[in-house]
Amino acid sequence: MASTFPRVLTCVVLCALSSFASAAHRIISLSPHATELAFAAGLGSQLVGVSQASDYPPAAKHIERVANFKGINVDRIIALQPDLIISWPEGNPPKVIAQLKNMGFNVYPASIKHLDDIAEHIRHLSHYASHPQTGLNNAKQFMEQLNALRQRYQDASPVRYFYQISAKPLITMAKDSWPSAVFTLCGGVNVFASSPSPYPQVGLEQVLLAQPQVMFSAHPNAMQLWDNWQNELSAFQHHHVWTLNADWLNRATPRTLNAVEQVCKYLDRVRKD
Protein backbone atom coordinates (compact mmCIF):
# COMPACT_ATOMS: atom_id res chain seq x y z
CA MET A 1 0.00 0.00 0.00
CA ALA A 2 2.81 2.41 0.90
CA SER A 3 4.39 2.13 -2.54
CA THR A 4 1.22 3.25 -4.29
CA PHE A 5 0.61 6.28 -2.07
CA PRO A 6 2.98 8.67 -3.91
CA ARG A 7 1.27 7.82 -7.19
CA VAL A 8 -2.16 8.37 -5.70
CA LEU A 9 -1.01 11.69 -4.25
CA THR A 10 0.49 12.69 -7.61
CA CYS A 11 -2.76 11.87 -9.36
CA VAL A 12 -4.78 13.89 -6.85
CA VAL A 13 -2.56 16.94 -7.39
CA LEU A 14 -2.53 16.60 -11.16
CA CYS A 15 -6.26 15.98 -11.35
CA ALA A 16 -6.85 19.12 -9.32
CA LEU A 17 -4.64 21.11 -11.66
CA SER A 18 -6.18 19.76 -14.85
CA SER A 19 -9.78 20.05 -13.70
CA PHE A 20 -9.55 23.80 -14.29
CA ALA A 21 -7.66 23.52 -17.57
CA SER A 22 -8.83 25.07 -20.79
CA ALA A 23 -7.15 25.21 -24.20
CA ALA A 24 -3.81 27.04 -24.04
CA HIS A 25 -2.65 28.92 -27.13
CA ARG A 26 0.79 30.12 -26.06
CA ILE A 27 2.87 27.62 -24.10
CA ILE A 28 6.42 27.69 -22.76
CA SER A 29 8.41 24.66 -21.66
CA LEU A 30 11.35 25.02 -19.29
CA SER A 31 13.04 21.64 -19.75
CA PRO A 32 13.64 19.10 -22.55
CA HIS A 33 11.44 16.45 -20.93
CA ALA A 34 8.61 18.96 -20.48
CA THR A 35 8.89 19.83 -24.17
CA GLU A 36 8.53 16.17 -25.16
CA LEU A 37 5.57 15.76 -22.83
CA ALA A 38 3.92 18.80 -24.40
CA PHE A 39 4.29 17.35 -27.89
CA ALA A 40 2.98 13.98 -26.69
CA ALA A 41 -0.05 15.78 -25.24
CA GLY A 42 -0.81 17.39 -28.59
CA LEU A 43 0.51 20.82 -27.64
CA GLY A 44 3.45 21.09 -30.03
CA SER A 45 1.91 23.72 -32.28
CA GLN A 46 1.15 25.95 -29.27
CA LEU A 47 4.73 26.05 -27.97
CA VAL A 48 6.25 29.52 -28.33
CA GLY A 49 9.30 29.00 -26.12
CA VAL A 50 11.40 26.06 -24.92
CA SER A 51 14.66 25.32 -23.10
CA GLN A 52 17.98 25.32 -24.93
CA ALA A 53 18.43 21.53 -24.91
CA SER A 54 14.95 20.78 -26.28
CA ASP A 55 15.84 18.86 -29.44
CA TYR A 56 13.10 16.25 -29.67
CA PRO A 57 10.90 15.88 -31.56
CA PRO A 58 12.76 17.62 -34.42
CA ALA A 59 10.10 20.35 -34.59
CA ALA A 60 11.24 21.53 -31.14
CA LYS A 61 14.55 22.70 -32.61
CA HIS A 62 12.78 25.53 -34.42
CA ILE A 63 11.09 27.04 -31.35
CA GLU A 64 12.56 30.07 -29.58
CA ARG A 65 14.89 29.37 -26.63
CA VAL A 66 13.95 31.06 -23.36
CA ALA A 67 15.94 29.00 -20.83
CA ASN A 68 19.19 27.07 -20.45
CA PHE A 69 21.32 25.50 -17.73
CA LYS A 70 22.39 28.97 -16.60
CA GLY A 71 18.89 30.29 -15.99
CA ILE A 72 15.54 31.44 -17.32
CA ASN A 73 14.97 34.54 -19.44
CA VAL A 74 12.09 36.05 -17.47
CA ASP A 75 11.96 39.21 -19.57
CA ARG A 76 11.48 37.22 -22.75
CA ILE A 77 8.81 35.05 -21.13
CA ILE A 78 6.93 38.19 -20.11
CA ALA A 79 7.15 39.47 -23.69
CA LEU A 80 5.82 36.18 -25.08
CA GLN A 81 2.83 36.31 -22.70
CA PRO A 82 2.24 32.56 -22.37
CA ASP A 83 -1.03 31.26 -20.95
CA LEU A 84 0.76 28.10 -19.74
CA ILE A 85 4.32 27.47 -18.52
CA ILE A 86 5.43 23.86 -18.02
CA SER A 87 8.15 23.85 -15.37
CA TRP A 88 10.63 21.32 -14.03
CA PRO A 89 10.48 21.57 -10.21
CA GLU A 90 13.64 19.51 -9.71
CA GLY A 91 15.74 21.53 -12.16
CA ASN A 92 14.38 25.05 -12.56
CA PRO A 93 15.41 27.77 -10.05
CA PRO A 94 12.66 27.85 -7.38
CA LYS A 95 12.87 31.63 -6.97
CA VAL A 96 12.31 32.23 -10.67
CA ILE A 97 9.35 29.84 -10.76
CA ALA A 98 7.87 31.61 -7.73
CA GLN A 99 8.43 34.93 -9.49
CA LEU A 100 6.54 33.74 -12.56
CA LYS A 101 3.68 32.51 -10.41
CA ASN A 102 3.52 35.83 -8.56
CA MET A 103 3.24 37.57 -11.91
CA GLY A 104 0.08 35.60 -12.54
CA PHE A 105 1.39 33.07 -15.03
CA ASN A 106 -0.18 29.61 -15.03
CA VAL A 107 2.70 27.26 -14.11
CA TYR A 108 2.26 23.50 -14.47
CA PRO A 109 4.88 21.43 -12.57
CA ALA A 110 6.07 18.47 -14.65
CA SER A 111 7.66 16.55 -11.77
CA ILE A 112 8.17 12.83 -12.37
CA LYS A 113 9.22 10.21 -9.85
CA HIS A 114 7.43 7.12 -11.16
CA LEU A 115 7.07 5.69 -14.64
CA ASP A 116 3.29 6.05 -14.40
CA ASP A 117 3.71 9.80 -13.89
CA ILE A 118 4.75 10.15 -17.54
CA ALA A 119 1.31 9.02 -18.71
CA GLU A 120 -0.38 11.08 -16.00
CA HIS A 121 1.27 14.28 -17.19
CA ILE A 122 0.48 13.57 -20.84
CA ARG A 123 -3.12 12.89 -19.88
CA HIS A 124 -3.51 16.06 -17.83
CA LEU A 125 -1.62 18.29 -20.23
CA SER A 126 -3.90 17.08 -23.01
CA HIS A 127 -6.69 19.10 -21.38
CA TYR A 128 -4.85 22.24 -22.50
CA ALA A 129 -5.00 21.08 -26.13
CA SER A 130 -7.68 21.96 -28.64
CA HIS A 131 -7.98 18.23 -29.37
CA PRO A 132 -7.32 16.34 -26.11
CA GLN A 133 -7.78 12.94 -27.72
CA THR A 134 -4.24 13.02 -29.13
CA GLY A 135 -2.69 13.15 -25.67
CA LEU A 136 -5.21 10.75 -24.19
CA ASN A 137 -4.39 8.19 -26.87
CA ASN A 138 -0.66 8.62 -26.35
CA ALA A 139 -1.04 8.22 -22.58
CA LYS A 140 -3.09 5.06 -23.07
CA GLN A 141 -0.55 3.60 -25.48
CA PHE A 142 2.29 4.39 -23.09
CA MET A 143 0.59 2.60 -20.20
CA GLU A 144 -0.22 -0.43 -22.33
CA GLN A 145 3.42 -0.80 -23.35
CA LEU A 146 4.66 -0.10 -19.82
CA ASN A 147 2.36 -2.70 -18.28
CA ALA A 148 3.42 -5.25 -20.88
CA LEU A 149 7.06 -4.72 -19.88
CA ARG A 150 6.17 -4.95 -16.20
CA GLN A 151 4.44 -8.27 -16.75
CA ARG A 152 7.37 -9.59 -18.74
CA TYR A 153 9.95 -8.75 -16.07
CA GLN A 154 7.95 -9.11 -12.86
CA ASP A 155 9.71 -12.37 -11.96
CA ALA A 156 13.15 -11.52 -13.34
CA SER A 157 16.01 -12.51 -11.08
CA PRO A 158 17.74 -9.52 -9.44
CA VAL A 159 20.97 -8.13 -10.88
CA ARG A 160 23.16 -5.76 -8.87
CA TYR A 161 24.12 -2.67 -10.88
CA PHE A 162 26.00 0.62 -10.63
CA TYR A 163 24.86 3.61 -12.68
CA GLN A 164 27.54 6.27 -13.16
CA ILE A 165 26.08 9.71 -13.75
CA SER A 166 29.41 11.52 -13.89
CA ALA A 167 33.08 10.63 -13.45
CA LYS A 168 34.64 13.72 -11.84
CA PRO A 169 33.16 13.84 -9.31
CA LEU A 170 31.94 10.25 -9.30
CA ILE A 171 28.18 10.57 -8.85
CA THR A 172 25.48 7.93 -8.91
CA MET A 173 21.86 7.77 -7.77
CA ALA A 174 20.04 6.35 -4.77
CA LYS A 175 16.69 4.62 -4.43
CA ASP A 176 13.68 6.39 -5.95
CA SER A 177 15.85 9.00 -7.69
CA TRP A 178 15.27 9.26 -11.41
CA PRO A 179 16.00 7.14 -13.43
CA SER A 180 16.08 4.33 -10.86
CA ALA A 181 12.53 3.31 -11.81
CA VAL A 182 13.82 2.16 -15.20
CA PHE A 183 16.37 -0.21 -13.68
CA THR A 184 13.97 -1.44 -10.99
CA LEU A 185 11.38 -2.53 -13.55
CA CYS A 186 14.02 -4.70 -15.21
CA GLY A 187 15.01 -6.38 -11.95
CA GLY A 188 18.02 -4.19 -11.28
CA VAL A 189 19.21 -3.70 -7.70
CA ASN A 190 21.12 -0.48 -7.10
CA VAL A 191 24.28 -1.09 -5.04
CA PHE A 192 23.91 2.44 -3.60
CA ALA A 193 20.15 2.36 -3.13
CA SER A 194 20.35 3.04 0.61
CA SER A 195 22.36 6.25 0.31
CA PRO A 196 20.72 9.15 2.21
CA SER A 197 21.51 11.53 -0.65
CA PRO A 198 19.38 11.24 -3.80
CA TYR A 199 22.45 11.62 -6.04
CA PRO A 200 25.43 10.67 -3.85
CA GLN A 201 29.07 11.30 -4.61
CA VAL A 202 30.93 8.05 -4.05
CA GLY A 203 34.54 6.91 -4.07
CA LEU A 204 36.30 4.38 -6.27
CA GLU A 205 36.85 2.18 -3.25
CA GLN A 206 33.14 2.10 -2.47
CA VAL A 207 32.34 0.82 -5.93
CA LEU A 208 35.10 -1.77 -5.71
CA LEU A 209 33.70 -3.01 -2.40
CA ALA A 210 30.14 -3.09 -3.76
CA GLN A 211 31.22 -5.25 -6.73
CA PRO A 212 28.24 -4.60 -9.02
CA GLN A 213 27.47 -7.31 -11.55
CA VAL A 214 26.96 -4.70 -14.24
CA MET A 215 28.03 -1.07 -14.70
CA PHE A 216 26.14 1.52 -16.72
CA SER A 217 26.81 5.03 -17.88
CA ALA A 218 25.01 7.39 -20.25
CA HIS A 219 28.25 8.94 -21.53
CA PRO A 220 30.53 7.06 -23.98
CA ASN A 221 33.85 8.03 -22.39
CA ALA A 222 32.76 7.96 -18.74
CA MET A 223 34.11 4.49 -18.05
CA GLN A 224 37.69 5.52 -18.81
CA LEU A 225 37.83 6.34 -15.12
CA TRP A 226 38.08 2.60 -14.46
CA ASP A 227 40.94 1.79 -16.86
CA ASN A 228 43.34 1.04 -14.00
CA TRP A 229 40.78 -0.91 -12.00
CA GLN A 230 39.21 -3.24 -14.55
CA ASN A 231 40.92 -6.31 -13.13
CA GLU A 232 39.36 -5.53 -9.75
CA LEU A 233 35.76 -5.38 -10.98
CA SER A 234 33.81 -8.45 -12.04
CA ALA A 235 31.60 -6.31 -14.30
CA PHE A 236 34.62 -5.53 -16.47
CA GLN A 237 35.97 -9.06 -16.30
CA HIS A 238 32.67 -10.41 -17.64
CA HIS A 239 32.24 -7.55 -20.14
CA HIS A 240 29.08 -6.35 -18.40
CA VAL A 241 29.77 -2.64 -18.93
CA TRP A 242 27.45 -0.67 -21.20
CA THR A 243 26.68 2.86 -22.32
CA LEU A 244 22.99 3.76 -22.38
CA ASN A 245 21.14 6.30 -24.51
CA ALA A 246 21.22 9.44 -22.35
CA ASP A 247 18.11 11.06 -23.81
CA TRP A 248 16.01 7.92 -23.42
CA LEU A 249 17.19 7.34 -19.86
CA ASN A 250 17.56 10.77 -18.29
CA ARG A 251 14.49 12.44 -19.79
CA ALA A 252 11.21 11.20 -18.33
CA THR A 253 9.17 11.06 -21.55
CA PRO A 254 7.44 8.44 -23.72
CA ARG A 255 10.91 7.52 -25.00
CA THR A 256 11.68 6.21 -21.51
CA LEU A 257 10.15 2.95 -22.72
CA ASN A 258 13.12 2.67 -25.09
CA ALA A 259 15.41 3.01 -22.07
CA VAL A 260 13.50 0.27 -20.25
CA GLU A 261 13.90 -2.09 -23.18
CA GLN A 262 17.60 -1.25 -23.49
CA VAL A 263 18.34 -1.78 -19.79
CA CYS A 264 16.28 -4.97 -19.62
CA LYS A 265 18.12 -6.38 -22.63
CA TYR A 266 21.48 -5.82 -20.98
CA LEU A 267 20.39 -7.26 -17.63
CA ASP A 268 19.09 -10.32 -19.46
CA ARG A 269 22.59 -10.81 -20.89
CA VAL A 270 24.00 -10.81 -17.36
CA ARG A 271 21.44 -13.41 -16.29
CA LYS A 272 22.40 -15.69 -19.19
CA ASP A 273 26.16 -15.49 -18.59
Side-chain angles (χ1 to χ4, degrees):
M1 181 67 71
S3 62
T4 62
F5 177 75
R7 297 179 202 170
V8 173
L9 179 59
T10 299
C11 182
V12 169
V13 173
L14 293 177
C15 288
L17 287 169
S18 65
S19 63
F20 299 102
S22 58
H25 303 287
R26 300 180 62 79
I27 302 172
I28 284 177
S29 161
L30 297 179
S31 76
H33 90 278
T35 300
E36 290 191 42
L37 291 175
F39 272 92
L43 299 172
S45 62
Q46 287 104 292
L47 283 167
V48 295
V50 297
S51 61
Q52 184 65 41
S54 293
D55 57 5
Y56 189 88
K61 298 177 182 179
H62 306 292
I63 303 173
E64 181 177 348
R65 272 41 186 162
V66 297
N68 56 34
F69 70 95
K70 294 181 179 179
I72 297 172
N73 189 337
V74 175
D75 290 339
R76 188 57 191 153
I77 290 176
I78 294 173
L80 289 171
Q81 284 297 297
D83 44 18
L84 177 66
I85 299 173
I86 307 174
S87 71
W88 177 29
E90 291 80 9
N92 296 147
K95 290 184 178 180
V96 177
I97 297 303
Q99 180 184 0
L100 292 170
K101 290 179 179 178
N102 291 335
M103 290 178 180
F105 289 111
N106 180 17
V107 179
Y108 180 100
S111 178
I112 295 180
K113 295 183 178 180
H114 308 281
L115 292 169
D116 303 68
D117 292 343
I118 296 172
E120 286 295 314
H121 281 299
I122 295 172
R123 186 178 298 116
H124 294 301
L125 283 170
S126 71
H127 293 287
Y128 291 99
S130 300
H131 303 285
Q133 199 58 46
T134 298
L136 296 175
N137 289 340
N138 286 336
K140 181 175 181 292
Q141 181 180 9
F142 178 89
M143 286 307 303
E144 288 174 349
Q145 295 175 346
L146 176 61
N147 288 330
L149 287 166
R150 279 176 170 155
Q151 184 174 6
R152 179 179 176 183
Y153 288 97
Q154 62 183 347
D155 297 320
S157 58
V159 176
R160 300 172 68 255
Y161 74 91
F162 170 68
Y163 174 50
Q164 180 174 308
I165 295 177
S166 66
K168 295 181 180 181
L170 183 56
I171 295 176
T172 185
M173 63 183 179
K175 184 179 180 181
D176 296 333
S177 301
W178 190 265
S180 61
V182 171
F183 298 92
T184 299
L185 186 150
C186 299
V189 178
N190 185 354
V191 295
F192 290 104
S194 60
S195 173
S197 171
Y199 297 99
Q201 180 175 337
V202 298
L204 296 174
E205 297 82 1
Q206 290 175 279
V207 180
L208 292 170
L209 288 172
Q211 281 297 319
Q213 294 171 266
V214 57
M215 296 175 67
F216 291 114
S217 173
H219 305 285
N221 299 321
M223 289 300 174
Q224 292 179 355
L225 173 70
W226 303 99
D227 286 350
N228 296 326
W229 302 94
Q230 292 186 13
N231 292 333
E232 308 296 327
L233 287 160
S234 61
F236 277 95
Q237 293 170 11
H238 292 91
H239 306 290
H240 295 158
V241 181
W242 290 293
T243 300
L244 303 173
N245 186 301
D247 289 346
W248 292 352
L249 183 66
N250 296 332
R251 300 181 184 181
T253 73
R255 293 194 294 166
T256 297
L257 293 177
N258 295 336
V260 172
E261 292 178 343
Q262 186 179 41
V263 169
C264 288
K265 176 187 70 175
Y266 286 138
L267 293 189
D268 278 345
R269 287 192 193 180
V270 178
R271 295 183 181 105
K272 292 177 181 177
D273 287 350

